[in-house]
Amino acid sequence: MATRLQFENSCEVGVFSKLTNAYCLVAIGGSENFYSIFEDELAGAIPVVKTSIGGTRIIGRLCAGNKNGLLLPHTTTDQELQHLRNSLPDQVVVQRIDERLSALGNCISCNDHVALTHPDLDKETEEMIADVLGVEVFRQTVAGNILVGSYCAFSNRGGLVHPHTSIEDLDELSTLLQVPLVAGTVNRGSEVIAAGMTVNDWTAFCGSDTTATELSVIESVFKLREAQPTDIVQDMRKSLIDSYL
Amino acid sequence: MAEEAGVFMVPQTVGSVLCCKCGVRMAPNAANMCVRCLRSEVDITEGLQKHVIILHCPECNCYLQPPRTWIKAELESKELLTFCIKRLKNLNKVRLVHAEFIWTEPHSKRIKVKLSVQKEVLHGAILEQSYVVEYVQQEQMCDSCSRIQANPDQWVAAVQLRQHVSHRRTFFYLEQLILKHDAAVHAIKIKQMDHGIDFFFGNRSHAVKFVEFVGKVAPIRSRHDKQLVSHDSKSNNYNYKYTFSVELSPVCREDLICLPPRVAVSLGNLGPLVICTKVTNSIALLDPFTLRHCFLDADQYWRSSFKPLLTSRQLIEYIVLDVEIISPEVNIGGSRYALADVQVARVSDFGKNDTIFSVKSYLGHLLSPGDYALGYDLYGANTNDIDFDSYRGLVVPEAILIKKSYEEKRQKKRGKPRSWKLKNLNMEVEESRNRVEDEKKNTEYEEFLRDLEENPEMRFNISLYRNRDYQPSEIASTVDGDFPSIPIEELLADLDLSENEDEDDMHD
């Protein structure tokens, strides 16, 4: 189910939050509204963590992660690092990496199996990504843009890319990512997909300017209509219960 | 280009996305909305004028462009479209792509123009939109029409053309010249006066232009004056009436002149008796005995303004008895002359007495015994000229022949219409007092027409029109042996709209 919300009157939800299948990071806003909508949707299933990165609120664009791990830029302070290590589940590996392109959220777009990265990323960073996140890494561009993390958003079930992507590019990306892709817009015609929305396997959050058409496209490509959180979390809970016992 | 460098480029086909508002499938654009949704979102014609009032003068069909210019334009014409677009404010914010008229009833006083404009909206997409502007036409008389309405005879500048001679030949010729060059199109009124013509204009510059035109075709001297009509002390506007007094030189073609001694000397001792052969803006003088010719500028003439000794009124007919050519034919200033000794007798003397004159003439190439010639009778003339009297010991010939006469042949053609005709200026003529003056005018006009027939160079500057009423008859064609007549090629055919003949000539 896709939800529409705003962060302090800005529709760029993907800038101020990061949603994965195992956790959700939220920026610290003036009021609790932003946080409480996430809580409302996700409370039972995954932890919702309030944080800042490097003292900033644009956490969605600075970090990249999936259910296996979370990568943070070198600007992250030690306290933030510790806070995140404490709040997130143990199987999520939190790693701070040294990378010249520090806006990792703009440079890396990933789901639980595959990641697309900025073509100019360092070799060591690429290895780190493969290691920490447990994914296969591909250097790509989306519709001629090198900031793949901004112009596409995908989960394990589908993905949405920049509207000017040609059909050949779409086919190529779809083959790489092994998920169905569609070119579309978010927030009333905005092309910066990942900044305008954030998505995981069963839910999505979009800016409040998103039109009904865009919302229906998002729901159909990410297959959000039939998805129930309980199905996925069941697998996790089994393992949790096992460890207690 | 990368393709030329041999790099393999994947052909890119543009995909389609859903319009973010209405969900219709479309090619992606900068705003990612289909055109209809974009149009409903954004109205680029906001803030542009849709309703304008324009002022129109019903008399002269002009539209007012403030503050003062009146532009003449027909309905649905290019000028009107340009004018309408100029009257729109704020049109520089958008780019105008196309404009056209939408038909409205001519007397509905509404003009509708459809404009297509382009503007950049939302993230660089350019949107094109058309809209209709309605112009309401309000009637208001323009300044010139209202002035004419208030006082139709109101003139601002007048040109008074005068020539102090007893005939009107020059004015007939001038009339034709003015018609040909349209010099008097701006004249409000033309009035025929004693010894001249008055032209009235609405604008001083028109009058100045007319005076300059006359100065180019005739030797004139002029002066100008102005008279204060009204004065607005607040805005310091002065309204004047300007008058130009133009005097034409009294010397005409074929006049016999006795040059004053100083002029004769300054022209290189040209024999004091000369004949004027051509008058344009300079006077051409020919010495009939030595066949020397010279030109006098208008300024030069007016410095020593001499009058002719004998004018063409005083030409009498001579009959040629014998011709003996002295020198071969020469070509001077475009005309041919041949000096010859001729024996002539006055037609009035012929048969009655034996008065015969032996004179030198330059018409040797034209005359043969039995011909008639026109010339000045110096033997019997009584002249009253200071310059003439001032010469002592001047040998004066008894007769000077000027031109060959075609009178005999004309007798046969009398009463038959010519194959050509001339147009006339519409002058106001005063009612003539007596019949004698009328007849005099008619004979002068007749002589003028004959002059035109005989002189091709005079016809050069004049437009002749074919006379539709003329039917060439069998008899006339056989008689026209060496009778000078105007070849048909020189005639301009009138325009076909025969009912508008007069209008075509005087259209402005």
Side-chain angles (χ1 to χ4, degrees), chain B residues 166-205:
Chain B
S166 52
H167 57 84
R168 291 194 73 92
R169 266 172 58 200
T170 321
F171 288 110
F172 291 139
Y173 181 61
L174 258 183
E175 186 187 344
Q176 296 305 317
L177 270 183
I178 289 171
L179 276 173
K180 167 129 186 172
H181 292 98
D182 280 338
V185 268
H186 297 289
I188 301 175
K189 196 166 72 156
I190 304 173
K191 199 164 163 193
Q192 195 172 16
M193 306 287 278
D194 183 37
H195 280 228
I197 310 179
D198 279 354
F199 294 83
F200 298 95
F201 296 92
N203 200 322
R204 182 176 180 269
S205 51

mmCIF file of all heavy atoms in Angstrom, chain B residues 166-205:
data_model
loop_
_atom_site.group_PDB
_atom_site.id
_atom_site.type_symbol
_atom_site.label_atom_id
_atom_site.label_comp_id
_atom_site.label_asym_id
_atom_site.label_seq_id
_atom_site.Cartn_x
_atom_site.Cartn_y
_atom_site.Cartn_z
ATOM 1 N N SER B 166 0.629 87.270 -73.689
ATOM 2 C CA SER B 166 -0.772 87.383 -74.081
ATOM 3 C C SER B 166 -1.372 86.051 -74.517
ATOM 4 O O SER B 166 -2.521 86.001 -74.900
ATOM 5 C CB SER B 166 -0.891 88.391 -75.230
ATOM 6 O OG SER B 166 0.015 88.026 -76.239
ATOM 7 N N HIS B 167 -0.605 84.985 -74.467
ATOM 8 C CA HIS B 167 -1.178 83.702 -74.878
ATOM 9 C C HIS B 167 -1.062 82.691 -73.738
ATOM 10 O O HIS B 167 -0.388 82.943 -72.741
ATOM 11 C CB HIS B 167 -0.458 83.175 -76.124
ATOM 12 C CG HIS B 167 1.022 83.025 -75.909
ATOM 13 N ND1 HIS B 167 1.580 81.925 -75.328
ATOM 14 C CD2 HIS B 167 2.043 83.854 -76.213
ATOM 15 C CE1 HIS B 167 2.896 82.073 -75.271
ATOM 16 N NE2 HIS B 167 3.206 83.250 -75.796
ATOM 17 N N ARG B 168 -1.707 81.546 -73.889
ATOM 18 C CA ARG B 168 -1.688 80.552 -72.812
ATOM 19 C C ARG B 168 -0.997 79.256 -73.220
ATOM 20 O O ARG B 168 -1.217 78.213 -72.620
ATOM 21 C CB ARG B 168 -3.121 80.224 -72.378
ATOM 22 C CG ARG B 168 -3.807 81.359 -71.673
ATOM 23 C CD ARG B 168 -5.046 80.848 -70.992
ATOM 24 N NE ARG B 168 -4.716 80.058 -69.818
ATOM 25 C CZ ARG B 168 -4.609 80.541 -68.587
ATOM 26 N NH1 ARG B 168 -4.811 81.825 -68.366
ATOM 27 N NH2 ARG B 168 -4.316 79.748 -67.582
ATOM 28 N N ARG B 169 -0.165 79.359 -74.253
ATOM 29 C CA ARG B 169 0.502 78.133 -74.736
ATOM 30 C C ARG B 169 1.285 77.446 -73.653
ATOM 31 O O ARG B 169 1.264 76.238 -73.455
ATOM 32 C CB ARG B 169 1.484 78.495 -75.860
ATOM 33 C CG ARG B 169 0.920 78.378 -77.219
ATOM 34 C CD ARG B 169 1.867 78.930 -78.228
ATOM 35 N NE ARG B 169 3.159 78.252 -78.175
ATOM 36 C CZ ARG B 169 4.278 78.770 -78.658
ATOM 37 N NH1 ARG B 169 4.268 79.983 -79.182
ATOM 38 N NH2 ARG B 169 5.414 78.121 -78.598
ATOM 39 N N THR B 170 2.057 78.265 -72.866
ATOM 40 C CA THR B 170 2.896 77.668 -71.829
ATOM 41 C C THR B 170 2.060 76.930 -70.806
ATOM 42 O O THR B 170 2.440 75.864 -70.328
ATOM 43 C CB THR B 170 3.693 78.759 -71.110
ATOM 44 O OG1 THR B 170 4.103 79.711 -72.053
ATOM 45 C CG2 THR B 170 4.865 78.162 -70.376
ATOM 46 N N PHE B 171 0.918 77.515 -70.469
ATOM 47 C CA PHE B 171 0.101 76.873 -69.440
ATOM 48 C C PHE B 171 -0.525 75.593 -69.934
ATOM 49 O O PHE B 171 -0.707 74.656 -69.165
ATOM 50 C CB PHE B 171 -0.948 77.855 -68.921
ATOM 51 C CG PHE B 171 -0.336 78.914 -68.074
ATOM 52 C CD1 PHE B 171 -0.256 80.226 -68.526
ATOM 53 C CD2 PHE B 171 0.213 78.606 -66.836
ATOM 54 C CE1 PHE B 171 0.341 81.193 -67.751
ATOM 55 C CE2 PHE B 171 0.811 79.574 -66.066
ATOM 56 C CZ PHE B 171 0.872 80.874 -66.515
ATOM 57 N N PHE B 172 -0.858 75.512 -71.231
ATOM 58 C CA PHE B 172 -1.364 74.238 -71.752
ATOM 59 C C PHE B 172 -0.296 73.163 -71.612
ATOM 60 O O PHE B 172 -0.553 72.049 -71.156
ATOM 61 C CB PHE B 172 -1.737 74.368 -73.234
ATOM 62 C CG PHE B 172 -2.927 75.232 -73.469
ATOM 63 C CD1 PHE B 172 -2.948 76.120 -74.536
ATOM 64 C CD2 PHE B 172 -4.038 75.173 -72.649
ATOM 65 C CE1 PHE B 172 -4.042 76.915 -74.770
ATOM 66 C CE2 PHE B 172 -5.136 75.966 -72.874
ATOM 67 C CZ PHE B 172 -5.142 76.848 -73.938
ATOM 68 N N TYR B 173 0.917 73.541 -72.001
ATOM 69 C CA TYR B 173 2.010 72.577 -71.921
ATOM 70 C C TYR B 173 2.318 72.186 -70.478
ATOM 71 O O TYR B 173 2.507 71.019 -70.158
ATOM 72 C CB TYR B 173 3.247 73.185 -72.593
ATOM 73 C CG TYR B 173 4.440 72.287 -72.608
ATOM 74 C CD1 TYR B 173 4.404 71.058 -73.255
ATOM 75 C CD2 TYR B 173 5.626 72.661 -71.972
ATOM 76 C CE1 TYR B 173 5.498 70.231 -73.260
ATOM 77 C CE2 TYR B 173 6.726 71.832 -71.975
ATOM 78 C CZ TYR B 173 6.658 70.624 -72.623
ATOM 79 O OH TYR B 173 7.743 69.808 -72.619
ATOM 80 N N LEU B 174 2.323 73.186 -69.613
ATOM 81 C CA LEU B 174 2.585 72.911 -68.187
ATOM 82 C C LEU B 174 1.525 71.996 -67.601
ATOM 83 O O LEU B 174 1.806 71.112 -66.804
ATOM 84 C CB LEU B 174 2.581 74.222 -67.403
ATOM 85 C CG LEU B 174 3.932 74.793 -67.033
ATOM 86 C CD1 LEU B 174 3.731 76.041 -66.213
ATOM 87 C CD2 LEU B 174 4.754 73.803 -66.247
ATOM 88 N N GLU B 175 0.295 72.245 -68.021
ATOM 89 C CA GLU B 175 -0.803 71.413 -67.527
ATOM 90 C C GLU B 175 -0.543 69.948 -67.846
ATOM 91 O O GLU B 175 -0.694 69.066 -66.995
ATOM 92 C CB GLU B 175 -2.090 71.889 -68.194
ATOM 93 C CG GLU B 175 -3.330 71.199 -67.656
ATOM 94 C CD GLU B 175 -4.546 71.587 -68.482
ATOM 95 O OE1 GLU B 175 -4.442 72.587 -69.227
ATOM 96 O OE2 GLU B 175 -5.544 70.886 -68.386
ATOM 97 N N GLN B 176 -0.125 69.679 -69.085
ATOM 98 C CA GLN B 176 0.142 68.295 -69.460
ATOM 99 C C GLN B 176 1.319 67.720 -68.688
ATOM 100 O O GLN B 176 1.295 66.570 -68.254
ATOM 101 C CB GLN B 176 0.414 68.204 -70.973
ATOM 102 C CG GLN B 176 -0.756 68.590 -71.823
ATOM 103 C CD GLN B 176 -1.978 67.774 -71.464
ATOM 104 O OE1 GLN B 176 -1.901 66.568 -71.258
ATOM 105 N NE2 GLN B 176 -3.098 68.443 -71.377
ATOM 106 N N LEU B 177 2.339 68.544 -68.473
ATOM 107 C CA LEU B 177 3.497 68.073 -67.700
ATOM 108 C C LEU B 177 3.095 67.727 -66.270
ATOM 109 O O LEU B 177 3.518 66.723 -65.716
ATOM 110 C CB LEU B 177 4.563 69.167 -67.643
ATOM 111 C CG LEU B 177 5.603 69.179 -68.738
ATOM 112 C CD1 LEU B 177 6.586 70.277 -68.452
ATOM 113 C CD2 LEU B 177 6.313 67.858 -68.826
ATOM 114 N N ILE B 178 2.280 68.610 -65.686
ATOM 115 C CA ILE B 178 1.861 68.379 -64.294
ATOM 116 C C ILE B 178 1.054 67.090 -64.195
ATOM 117 O O ILE B 178 1.188 66.313 -63.259
ATOM 118 C CB ILE B 178 1.033 69.587 -63.790
ATOM 119 C CG1 ILE B 178 1.961 70.782 -63.612
ATOM 120 C CG2 ILE B 178 0.343 69.260 -62.485
ATOM 121 C CD1 ILE B 178 1.219 72.054 -63.344
ATOM 122 N N LEU B 179 0.214 66.870 -65.233
ATOM 123 C CA LEU B 179 -0.585 65.647 -65.213
ATOM 124 C C LEU B 179 0.293 64.413 -65.316
ATOM 125 O O LEU B 179 0.083 63.426 -64.640
ATOM 126 C CB LEU B 179 -1.564 65.660 -66.393
ATOM 127 C CG LEU B 179 -2.852 66.420 -66.141
ATOM 128 C CD1 LEU B 179 -3.636 66.510 -67.410
ATOM 129 C CD2 LEU B 179 -3.657 65.708 -65.074
ATOM 130 N N LYS B 180 1.293 64.519 -66.179
ATOM 131 C CA LYS B 180 2.141 63.339 -66.377
ATOM 132 C C LYS B 180 2.921 62.986 -65.126
ATOM 133 O O LYS B 180 3.072 61.831 -64.780
ATOM 134 C CB LYS B 180 3.112 63.615 -67.528
ATOM 135 C CG LYS B 180 4.219 62.586 -67.607
ATOM 136 C CD LYS B 180 4.338 62.048 -68.980
ATOM 137 C CE LYS B 180 5.355 60.920 -68.960
ATOM 138 N NZ LYS B 180 5.430 60.214 -70.188
ATOM 139 N N HIS B 181 3.420 64.015 -64.421
ATOM 140 C CA HIS B 181 4.247 63.743 -63.249
ATOM 141 C C HIS B 181 3.464 63.757 -61.952
ATOM 142 O O HIS B 181 4.058 63.647 -60.889
ATOM 143 C CB HIS B 181 5.381 64.764 -63.162
ATOM 144 C CG HIS B 181 6.385 64.604 -64.256
ATOM 145 N ND1 HIS B 181 6.349 65.375 -65.394
ATOM 146 C CD2 HIS B 181 7.402 63.751 -64.410
ATOM 147 C CE1 HIS B 181 7.335 65.006 -66.184
ATOM 148 N NE2 HIS B 181 7.991 64.021 -65.619
ATOM 149 N N ASP B 182 2.132 63.926 -62.038
ATOM 150 C CA ASP B 182 1.309 63.928 -60.824
ATOM 151 C C ASP B 182 1.783 64.936 -59.807
ATOM 152 O O ASP B 182 1.787 64.676 -58.612
ATOM 153 C CB ASP B 182 1.331 62.548 -60.160
ATOM 154 C CG ASP B 182 0.383 61.595 -60.860
ATOM 155 O OD1 ASP B 182 -0.544 62.101 -61.521
ATOM 156 O OD2 ASP B 182 0.591 60.392 -60.756
ATOM 157 N N ALA B 183 2.238 66.103 -60.286
ATOM 158 C CA ALA B 183 2.791 67.074 -59.345
ATOM 159 C C ALA B 183 1.713 67.747 -58.521
ATOM 160 O O ALA B 183 1.988 68.276 -57.455
ATOM 161 C CB ALA B 183 3.580 68.141 -60.102
ATOM 162 N N ALA B 184 0.488 67.746 -59.021
ATOM 163 C CA ALA B 184 -0.569 68.466 -58.306
ATOM 164 C C ALA B 184 -1.545 67.519 -57.633
ATOM 165 O O ALA B 184 -2.700 67.859 -57.436
ATOM 166 C CB ALA B 184 -1.303 69.393 -59.272
ATOM 167 N N VAL B 185 -1.084 66.335 -57.253
ATOM 168 C CA VAL B 185 -2.028 65.405 -56.608
ATOM 169 C C VAL B 185 -2.517 65.930 -55.279
ATOM 170 O O VAL B 185 -3.627 65.669 -54.857
ATOM 171 C CB VAL B 185 -1.430 64.011 -56.371
ATOM 172 C CG1 VAL B 185 -1.722 63.132 -57.516
ATOM 173 C CG2 VAL B 185 0.032 64.092 -56.073
ATOM 174 N N HIS B 186 -1.631 66.661 -54.570
ATOM 175 C CA HIS B 186 -2.034 67.108 -53.237
ATOM 176 C C HIS B 186 -2.789 68.419 -53.254
ATOM 177 O O HIS B 186 -3.098 68.964 -52.201
ATOM 178 C CB HIS B 186 -0.789 67.287 -52.362
ATOM 179 C CG HIS B 186 -0.057 66.006 -52.154
ATOM 180 N ND1 HIS B 186 -0.550 65.003 -51.380
ATOM 181 C CD2 HIS B 186 1.124 65.563 -52.641
ATOM 182 C CE1 HIS B 186 0.299 64.004 -51.395
ATOM 183 N NE2 HIS B 186 1.324 64.304 -52.133
ATOM 184 N N ALA B 187 -3.038 68.955 -54.447
ATOM 185 C CA ALA B 187 -3.693 70.263 -54.503
ATOM 186 C C ALA B 187 -5.157 70.146 -54.113
ATOM 187 O O ALA B 187 -5.860 69.247 -54.559
ATOM 188 C CB ALA B 187 -3.577 70.836 -55.912
ATOM 189 N N ILE B 188 -5.559 71.055 -53.241
ATOM 190 C CA ILE B 188 -6.963 71.045 -52.823
ATOM 191 C C ILE B 188 -7.824 71.672 -53.917
ATOM 192 O O ILE B 188 -8.923 71.223 -54.195
ATOM 193 C CB ILE B 188 -7.133 71.861 -51.541
ATOM 194 C CG1 ILE B 188 -6.263 71.284 -50.426
ATOM 195 C CG2 ILE B 188 -8.571 71.858 -51.098
ATOM 196 C CD1 ILE B 188 -6.311 72.125 -49.200
ATOM 197 N N LYS B 189 -7.295 72.727 -54.497
ATOM 198 C CA LYS B 189 -8.077 73.443 -55.505
ATOM 199 C C LYS B 189 -7.120 74.026 -56.532
ATOM 200 O O LYS B 189 -6.008 74.430 -56.206
ATOM 201 C CB LYS B 189 -8.830 74.567 -54.797
ATOM 202 C CG LYS B 189 -9.946 75.149 -55.619
ATOM 203 C CD LYS B 189 -10.862 75.994 -54.777
ATOM 204 C CE LYS B 189 -10.193 77.278 -54.379
ATOM 205 N NZ LYS B 189 -11.166 78.329 -54.072
ATOM 206 N N ILE B 190 -7.581 74.042 -57.765
ATOM 207 C CA ILE B 190 -6.772 74.673 -58.819
ATOM 208 C C ILE B 190 -7.673 75.689 -59.499
ATOM 209 O O ILE B 190 -8.797 75.362 -59.901
ATOM 210 C CB ILE B 190 -6.292 73.631 -59.847
ATOM 211 C CG1 ILE B 190 -5.531 72.528 -59.116
ATOM 212 C CG2 ILE B 190 -5.416 74.279 -60.882
ATOM 213 C CD1 ILE B 190 -5.161 71.374 -60.001
ATOM 214 N N LYS B 191 -7.165 76.892 -59.621
ATOM 215 C CA LYS B 191 -8.025 77.937 -60.176
ATOM 216 C C LYS B 191 -7.291 78.632 -61.305
ATOM 217 O O LYS B 191 -6.113 78.995 -61.184
ATOM 218 C CB LYS B 191 -8.323 78.939 -59.063
ATOM 219 C CG LYS B 191 -9.510 79.778 -59.328
ATOM 220 C CD LYS B 191 -9.953 80.452 -58.036
ATOM 221 C CE LYS B 191 -10.882 81.597 -58.397
ATOM 222 N NZ LYS B 191 -11.131 82.472 -57.310
ATOM 223 N N GLN B 192 -8.032 78.836 -62.371
ATOM 224 C CA GLN B 192 -7.432 79.508 -63.510
ATOM 225 C C GLN B 192 -7.632 81.008 -63.359
ATOM 226 O O GLN B 192 -8.742 81.469 -63.132
ATOM 227 C CB GLN B 192 -8.113 79.025 -64.790
ATOM 228 C CG GLN B 192 -7.357 79.355 -66.034
ATOM 229 C CD GLN B 192 -7.992 78.689 -67.223
ATOM 230 O OE1 GLN B 192 -9.128 78.250 -67.134
ATOM 231 N NE2 GLN B 192 -7.275 78.620 -68.303
ATOM 232 N N MET B 193 -6.537 81.754 -63.462
ATOM 233 C CA MET B 193 -6.638 83.196 -63.294
ATOM 234 C C MET B 193 -6.172 83.876 -64.554
ATOM 235 O O MET B 193 -5.619 83.250 -65.462
ATOM 236 C CB MET B 193 -5.744 83.651 -62.135
ATOM 237 C CG MET B 193 -5.991 82.944 -60.854
ATOM 238 S SD MET B 193 -7.501 83.462 -60.099
ATOM 239 C CE MET B 193 -6.978 84.917 -59.300
ATOM 240 N N ASP B 194 -6.316 85.151 -64.551
ATOM 241 C CA ASP B 194 -5.820 85.951 -65.638
ATOM 242 C C ASP B 194 -4.290 85.852 -65.665
ATOM 243 O O ASP B 194 -3.635 86.060 -64.660
ATOM 244 C CB ASP B 194 -6.259 87.396 -65.372
ATOM 245 C CG ASP B 194 -5.844 88.307 -66.485
ATOM 246 O OD1 ASP B 194 -5.888 87.865 -67.641
ATOM 247 O OD2 ASP B 194 -5.468 89.453 -66.191
ATOM 248 N N HIS B 195 -3.731 85.474 -66.814
ATOM 249 C CA HIS B 195 -2.271 85.359 -66.955
ATOM 250 C C HIS B 195 -1.661 84.250 -66.112
ATOM 251 O O HIS B 195 -0.451 84.267 -65.893
ATOM 252 C CB HIS B 195 -1.549 86.669 -66.574
ATOM 253 C CG HIS B 195 -1.586 87.690 -67.668
ATOM 254 N ND1 HIS B 195 -0.477 88.395 -68.095
ATOM 255 C CD2 HIS B 195 -2.585 88.136 -68.428
ATOM 256 C CE1 HIS B 195 -0.798 89.215 -69.068
ATOM 257 N NE2 HIS B 195 -2.094 89.077 -69.288
ATOM 258 N N GLY B 196 -2.470 83.326 -65.621
ATOM 259 C CA GLY B 196 -1.813 82.267 -64.858
ATOM 260 C C GLY B 196 -2.782 81.306 -64.207
ATOM 261 O O GLY B 196 -3.986 81.301 -64.499
ATOM 262 N N ILE B 197 -2.235 80.476 -63.316
ATOM 263 C CA ILE B 197 -3.047 79.492 -62.589
ATOM 264 C C ILE B 197 -2.665 79.561 -61.122
ATOM 265 O O ILE B 197 -1.486 79.777 -60.781
ATOM 266 C CB ILE B 197 -2.763 78.058 -63.098
ATOM 267 C CG1 ILE B 197 -2.862 77.996 -64.618
ATOM 268 C CG2 ILE B 197 -3.715 77.068 -62.483
ATOM 269 C CD1 ILE B 197 -2.559 76.623 -65.165
ATOM 270 N N ASP B 198 -3.652 79.406 -60.239
ATOM 271 C CA ASP B 198 -3.392 79.334 -58.797
ATOM 272 C C ASP B 198 -3.581 77.900 -58.325
ATOM 273 O O ASP B 198 -4.588 77.271 -58.650
ATOM 274 C CB ASP B 198 -4.380 80.229 -58.039
ATOM 275 C CG ASP B 198 -3.945 81.675 -58.069
ATOM 276 O OD1 ASP B 198 -2.840 81.948 -58.564
ATOM 277 O OD2 ASP B 198 -4.716 82.533 -57.610
ATOM 278 N N PHE B 199 -2.623 77.420 -57.523
ATOM 279 C CA PHE B 199 -2.756 76.084 -56.933
ATOM 280 C C PHE B 199 -2.833 76.238 -55.427
ATOM 281 O O PHE B 199 -2.021 76.949 -54.833
ATOM 282 C CB PHE B 199 -1.543 75.219 -57.269
ATOM 283 C CG PHE B 199 -1.401 74.899 -58.728
ATOM 284 C CD1 PHE B 199 -0.808 75.806 -59.596
ATOM 285 C CD2 PHE B 199 -1.863 73.709 -59.232
ATOM 286 C CE1 PHE B 199 -0.684 75.513 -60.940
ATOM 287 C CE2 PHE B 199 -1.726 73.401 -60.573
ATOM 288 C CZ PHE B 199 -1.142 74.319 -61.432
ATOM 289 N N PHE B 200 -3.787 75.542 -54.796
ATOM 290 C CA PHE B 200 -3.922 75.631 -53.342
ATOM 291 C C PHE B 200 -3.618 74.271 -52.719
ATOM 292 O O PHE B 200 -4.109 73.254 -53.171
ATOM 293 C CB PHE B 200 -5.347 76.045 -52.965
ATOM 294 C CG PHE B 200 -5.707 77.396 -53.491
ATOM 295 C CD1 PHE B 200 -6.387 77.529 -54.691
ATOM 296 C CD2 PHE B 200 -5.352 78.538 -52.805
ATOM 297 C CE1 PHE B 200 -6.702 78.771 -55.192
ATOM 298 C CE2 PHE B 200 -5.669 79.787 -53.291
ATOM 299 C CZ PHE B 200 -6.352 79.912 -54.492
ATOM 300 N N PHE B 201 -2.810 74.287 -51.654
ATOM 301 C CA PHE B 201 -2.400 73.041 -51.014
ATOM 302 C C PHE B 201 -2.741 73.068 -49.530
ATOM 303 O O PHE B 201 -2.865 74.135 -48.946
ATOM 304 C CB PHE B 201 -0.886 72.831 -51.155
ATOM 305 C CG PHE B 201 -0.436 72.675 -52.568
ATOM 306 C CD1 PHE B 201 -0.037 73.774 -53.301
ATOM 307 C CD2 PHE B 201 -0.427 71.438 -53.159
ATOM 308 C CE1 PHE B 201 0.366 73.629 -54.607
ATOM 309 C CE2 PHE B 201 -0.014 71.286 -54.467
ATOM 310 C CZ PHE B 201 0.381 72.390 -55.192
ATOM 311 N N GLY B 202 -2.852 71.892 -48.942
ATOM 312 C CA GLY B 202 -3.158 71.803 -47.520
ATOM 313 C C GLY B 202 -1.926 71.813 -46.638
ATOM 314 O O GLY B 202 -2.010 71.889 -45.428
ATOM 315 N N ASN B 203 -0.779 71.776 -47.274
ATOM 316 C CA ASN B 203 0.430 71.563 -46.500
ATOM 317 C C ASN B 203 1.545 72.354 -47.160
ATOM 318 O O ASN B 203 1.663 72.351 -48.380
ATOM 319 C CB ASN B 203 0.751 70.069 -46.614
ATOM 320 C CG ASN B 203 1.662 69.630 -45.520
ATOM 321 O OD1 ASN B 203 2.553 70.348 -45.127
ATOM 322 N ND2 ASN B 203 1.406 68.434 -45.038
ATOM 323 N N ARG B 204 2.355 73.032 -46.368
ATOM 324 C CA ARG B 204 3.381 73.875 -46.965
ATOM 325 C C ARG B 204 4.395 73.064 -47.765
ATOM 326 O O ARG B 204 4.869 73.484 -48.814
ATOM 327 C CB ARG B 204 4.109 74.652 -45.863
ATOM 328 C CG ARG B 204 5.135 75.576 -46.444
ATOM 329 C CD ARG B 204 5.810 76.426 -45.386
ATOM 330 N NE ARG B 204 6.776 77.282 -46.030
ATOM 331 C CZ ARG B 204 8.042 76.958 -46.209
ATOM 332 N NH1 ARG B 204 8.488 75.804 -45.780
ATOM 333 N NH2 ARG B 204 8.863 77.777 -46.840
ATOM 334 N N SER B 205 4.682 71.885 -47.286
ATOM 335 C CA SER B 205 5.714 71.094 -47.972
ATOM 336 C C SER B 205 5.235 70.658 -49.354
ATOM 337 O O SER B 205 6.029 70.534 -50.286
ATOM 338 C CB SER B 205 6.105 69.881 -47.144
ATOM 339 O OG SER B 205 4.956 69.192 -46.765
#
